[in-house]
Amino acid sequence: MRTEFKKINNVRGRFYGVFVRYGSKTNWNGFAEPTVLLKDIKACDGDKMMADHLWFKETLGFKKLGQLQEGDLVYFDARVKPYVKGYVNRREWIDNRQVDYRLSHPTKFNISRQTASEQQQINL
């Protein structure tokens, strides 16, 4: 469980994470949806580690950043929301669901990219 997120449930804040890679997941209709993996998610106020990784849908905000490269710092605003995760099998009486926390509705994206000689800021 992401205990730091639990402390600020339903609060909107500024966060950043390191871009790892693009991916995809299958939606309810069976189609692939593009996703983005960020690691080392931290809050901008105090640089406190919030989560080791988070997957996001590749929203329009991510697309406007252009092609992200591994190691790019992605800054964004988002709201902390609870969700239920786990496995349920009613025939076998298995129910290991639990509440976890995620970042929802990310907006106001910025990236920070390290170049060979200087740090370049790209703001949208």
Side-chain angles (χ1 to χ4, degrees), residues 27-40:
N27 66 15
W28 288 99
N29 296 323
F31 298 108
E33 285 185 354
T35 57
V36 174
L37 175 60
L38 299 180
K39 70 175 183 177
D40 301 332

Side-chain angles (χ1 to χ4, degrees), residues 9-20:
N9 187 17
N10 289 320
V11 173
R12 189 159 188 84
R14 186 91 176 140
F15 302 93
Y16 69 95
V18 179
F19 174 77
V20 178

Side-chain angles (χ1 to χ4, degrees), residues 5-118:
F5 283 151
K6 184 176 182 178
K7 297 175 186 175
I8 57 170
N9 187 17
N10 289 320
V11 173
R12 189 159 188 84
R14 186 91 176 140
F15 302 93
Y16 69 95
V18 179
F19 174 77
V20 178
R21 68 181 175 95
Y22 291 101
S24 66
K25 70 174 192 168
T26 305
N27 66 15
W28 288 99
N29 296 323
F31 298 108
E33 285 185 354
T35 57
V36 174
L37 175 60
L38 299 180
K39 70 175 183 177
D40 301 332
I41 309 298
K42 295 182 180 180
C44 285
D45 57 344
D47 289 331
K48 190 171 193 177
M49 179 67 83
M50 304 300 281
D52 61 344
H53 77 281
L54 287 174
W55 283 96
F56 293 92
K57 289 183 183 178
E58 188 183 22
T59 60
L60 186 60
F62 279 110
K63 289 179 184 177
K64 284 183 179 180
L65 293 175
Q67 188 67 26
L68 294 172
Q69 300 170 5
E70 187 174 352
D72 287 349
L73 285 178
V74 179
Y75 294 85
F76 57 94
D77 289 355
R79 182 173 301 277
V80 177
K81 290 285 192 178
Y83 73 99
V84 177
K85 71 175 187 178
Y87 176 74
V88 176
N89 183 333
R90 287 185 171 74
R91 275 191 194 158
E92 301 293 327
W93 298 60
I94 298 171
D95 185 356
N96 62 1
R97 291 179 291 185
Q98 62 186 22
V99 175
D100 203 358
Y101 296 87
R102 64 185 172 131
L103 293 176
S104 176
H105 298 86
T107 58
K108 298 180 184 173
F109 290 92
N110 301 327
I111 63 171
S112 176
R113 181 171 289 147
Q114 291 288 336
T115 59
S117 60
E118 63 184 273

